Amino acid sequence: MKKYDFLWIAVLAAIIAFLAAPVTHQIFISLSKAHPYLMAAAKFFILASMGELLAIRITAGDWKVPSGMGYRAVIWGLIGILIVIVFEFFSSGVISAMKKGLLPSLGSGFAHNLAFAFFTSAFMNGLFAPTFMAAHRITDTMIDLGSGKMKGMTKVSLATVVTKIDWYGFVSFVVGKTIPFFWIPAHTVTFLLPPEYRVLAAAFLSLALGGILAFAKRRTVKQTAPES
């Protein structure tokens, strides 16, 4: 293990300890309820960025800070804000549809809760996730092509960005595999939790999200790179 492996693990352990300790856990819950957008931005800013760094560590074999890391982290923060309303939008929509008989409610108890969680996760990941992931791929590629500099990014055209992206790899792996086999099950578990704990689950899923998307991007780049 490299020294930065221990640093990354230590930061993650500190976050877990902060969330697990009764006093700080309650502070976290209270702040999340009082300032949902700000707290969501902070969670995604930190944890999803850690996921990106971890993906680079796995694929490159060493710790490297990607160009424009600050911009990437800010975008993750904005995504966190978006996720707050998306979670509420889809969960409330599913509840309403179940009450109107548009979706099966499966009675009461665990079966009802499981149906709610699954439908919420399935609709959210089926309708929202592909668009969100594609938009994130576009911003990420723009940062790459601009070498992480604002001056460089302003000179990159949207046509160049869209052409550069491996859309086949995106659809076949990110959409075709991670959504049905990871995100729908993971968010089903998330929506089985009481509302006050979903924010904690989302925090750690944002770490996984950063890692999966960064890993997928580097995976497709490696596959399409010309042989020397």
Side-chain angles (χ1 to χ4, degrees):
M1 293 180 69
K2 299 178 181 292
K3 63 178 181 180
Y4 289 113
D5 293 350
F6 293 103
L7 178 60
W8 191 93
I9 293 172
V11 172
L12 181 60
I15 293 172
I16 294 174
F18 177 85
L19 296 175
V23 175
T24 51
H25 171 80
Q26 191 56 49
I27 292 173
F28 180 80
I29 294 296
S30 298
L31 287 175
S32 295
K33 291 181 178 179
H35 308 285
Y37 291 127
L38 181 61
M39 290 298 292
K43 289 182 301 176
F44 276 73
F45 183 96
I46 296 170
L47 290 169
S49 297
M50 289 179 64
E52 287 213 45
L53 294 174
L54 178 62
I56 295 173
R57 171 67 177 89
I58 294 171
T59 56
D62 200 1
W63 293 99
K64 297 178 182 178
V65 178
S67 60
M69 188 64 198
Y71 293 115
R72 298 177 200 272
V74 168
I75 289 172
W76 277 120
L78 295 175
I79 288 172
I81 293 173
L82 178 62
I83 292 296
V84 172
I85 192 64
V86 167
F87 267 45
E88 182 63 31
F89 178 83
F90 281 97
S91 61
S92 297
V94 166
I95 290 173
S96 178
M98 292 173 79
K99 287 181 178 179
K100 294 178 180 179
L102 299 174
L103 289 172
S105 61
L106 301 185
S108 59
F110 179 75
H112 171 80
N113 294 336
L114 181 61
F116 157 74
F118 173 75
F119 285 133
T120 303
S121 178
F123 280 112
M124 183 178 71
N125 283 289
L127 299 175
F128 167 73
T131 302
F132 145 64
M133 290 176 174
H136 184 264
R137 179 62 61 86
I138 289 171
T139 59
D140 224 25
T141 303
M142 182 172 289
I143 293 172
D144 288 339
L145 295 177
S147 301
K149 307 291 185 181
M150 179 59 71
K151 185 177 181 180
M153 286 185 282
T154 57
K155 296 180 179 179
V156 178
S157 68
L158 181 60
T160 302
V161 173
V162 172
T163 303
K164 185 72 173 178
I165 296 172
D166 173 20
W167 291 111
Y168 173 78
F170 172 80
V171 172
S172 63
F173 178 72
V174 177
V175 176
K177 293 181 180 177
T178 68
I179 287 179
F181 299 118
F182 179 79
W183 290 114
I184 290 179
H187 283 128
T188 297
V189 174
T190 297
F191 285 107
L192 279 172
L193 299 173
E196 62 268 24
Y197 291 103
R198 291 173 194 164
V199 67
L200 296 177
F204 287 98
L205 284 178
S206 70
L207 189 154
L209 177 60
I212 286 175
L213 293 185
F215 180 82
K217 186 183 70 173
R218 286 165 179 80
R219 174 179 176 272
T220 54
V221 167
K222 183 177 181 180
Q223 287 179 342
T224 57
E227 296 182 359
S228 57

